[in-house]
Amino acid sequence: MARRKKIYEGKAKIMFEGPEPGTIVQYFKDDATAFNAKKRDIIQGKGVLNNRISEHFMVGLDAVGIPTHFIRRLNMREQLVRAVEIIPLEVVVRNYSAGTMAKRLGIEEGTPLPRPIVEFCYKNDDLGDPLVTEEHIFAFNWASQHDVENMISLALRVNDYMSGLLFGVGIRLVDFKIEIGRQYDGDYHRLIVADEITPDCCRLWDIESGDKLDKDLFRLDIGSLSEAYAEVARRLDLLPGNELIVPRPSN
């Protein structure tokens, strides 16, 4: 079999040239990182779980008319996606105060926000993905005003869908980040949800207990990332019964 051409390797995924023009194979790694990769580990099976979870969310978004780059899952760790021009911004939607917002504004973690708040961060690991305003975005030509309006609309639609879906399985969507790409057709382009939607890029809390089911477990060393991600997958009916596709640590 011909060796595939690697296009890009990030902290959690590797992108390979796809089998057809305009496609990319997205491979999910087991790497766990935090604090812009200053903290690292390998969590066996994490990539398999994230592949399944991201597929589930992307298929659901497409079904309700929110365009994504997802085409199909290829195997346990890979999915075929559309090639897009990624806008160099992380789009963050916050429903509750947590993480950097809680620290930045002095709002107690877990406080419900009066409405979902959309923030933008400039995608640059060396700078720590700094928070930016719309004025920065327009001044540095990262996106047009029309694109920004569409990005906010897309992000809020994703929030509506994800919040309802997760609430139905007993999970509170505290906040999340997505990336958005431009898909071109000649001179015309449309914006679509790209990258991934997994517990790596969401804060997910159990509604009854408040237990964290996301990467904060790894960031703060307060629990098993693999078991939390498997629990999310189980609640979404992606794992049968009590199956755990990652090994439990031995005592």
Side-chain angles (χ1 to χ4, degrees), residues 82-103:
R82 297 174 181 87
V84 298
E85 177 188 83
I86 293 290
I87 296 172
L89 298 166
E90 293 179 347
V91 187
V92 181
V93 182
R94 299 184 182 275
N95 298 306
Y96 296 80
S97 176
T100 57
M101 169 177 269
K103 294 175 184 176

Side-chain angles (χ1 to χ4, degrees), residues 61-216:
L61 291 173
D62 278 323
V64 297
I66 300 172
T68 79
H69 73 161
F70 182 82
I71 299 174
R72 66 179 182 273
R73 180 164 57 89
L74 298 174
N75 53 51
M76 293 289 280
R77 289 187 178 272
E78 295 179 328
Q79 51 186 238
L80 187 68
V81 301
R82 297 174 181 87
V84 298
E85 177 188 83
I86 293 290
I87 296 172
L89 298 166
E90 293 179 347
V91 187
V92 181
V93 182
R94 299 184 182 275
N95 298 306
Y96 296 80
S97 176
T100 57
M101 169 177 269
K103 294 175 184 176
R104 190 170 67 239
L105 301 180
I107 303 173
E108 183 179 356
E109 183 152 298
T111 302
L113 300 176
R115 61 180 177 84
I117 293 176
V118 180
E119 298 177 336
F120 294 98
C121 296
Y122 177 47
K123 275 178 56 65
N124 187 309
D125 285 345
D126 292 339
L127 300 176
D129 301 324
L131 187 70
V132 294
T133 68
E134 291 185 18
E135 286 300 309
H136 293 109
I137 296 170
F138 304 147
F140 298 116
N141 201 31
W142 294 325
S144 67
Q145 183 165 351
H146 180 67
D147 279 349
V148 167
E149 290 170 359
N150 285 340
M151 291 167 74
I152 293 171
S153 175
L154 265 179
L156 291 175
R157 290 171 66 196
V158 171
N159 186 50
D160 282 345
Y161 171 78
M162 295 269 295
S163 294
L165 176 69
L166 290 165
F167 182 83
V169 295
I171 297 175
R172 175 172 290 120
L173 180 61
V174 175
D175 58 38
F176 67 93
K177 67 179 179 182
I178 55 173
E179 294 186 17
I180 293 174
R182 299 183 182 98
Q183 183 183 31
Y184 285 92
D185 182 6
D187 292 333
Y188 168 80
H189 75 265
R190 67 169 182 160
L191 299 185
I192 65 177
V193 179
D195 193 46
E196 66 177 278
I197 303 179
T198 69
D200 274 4
C201 50
C202 304
R203 278 194 175 87
L204 307 174
W205 296 353
D206 180 81
I207 288 175
E208 291 190 3
S209 68
D211 290 345
K212 298 178 189 297
L213 300 169
D214 56 65
K215 200 164 72 169
D216 274 350

Side-chain angles (χ1 to χ4, degrees), residues 226-240:
S226 59
E227 292 187 22
Y229 284 25
E231 176 63 20
V232 173
R234 270 195 294 268
R235 293 198 194 185
L236 295 171
D237 205 22
L238 303 178
L239 293 180

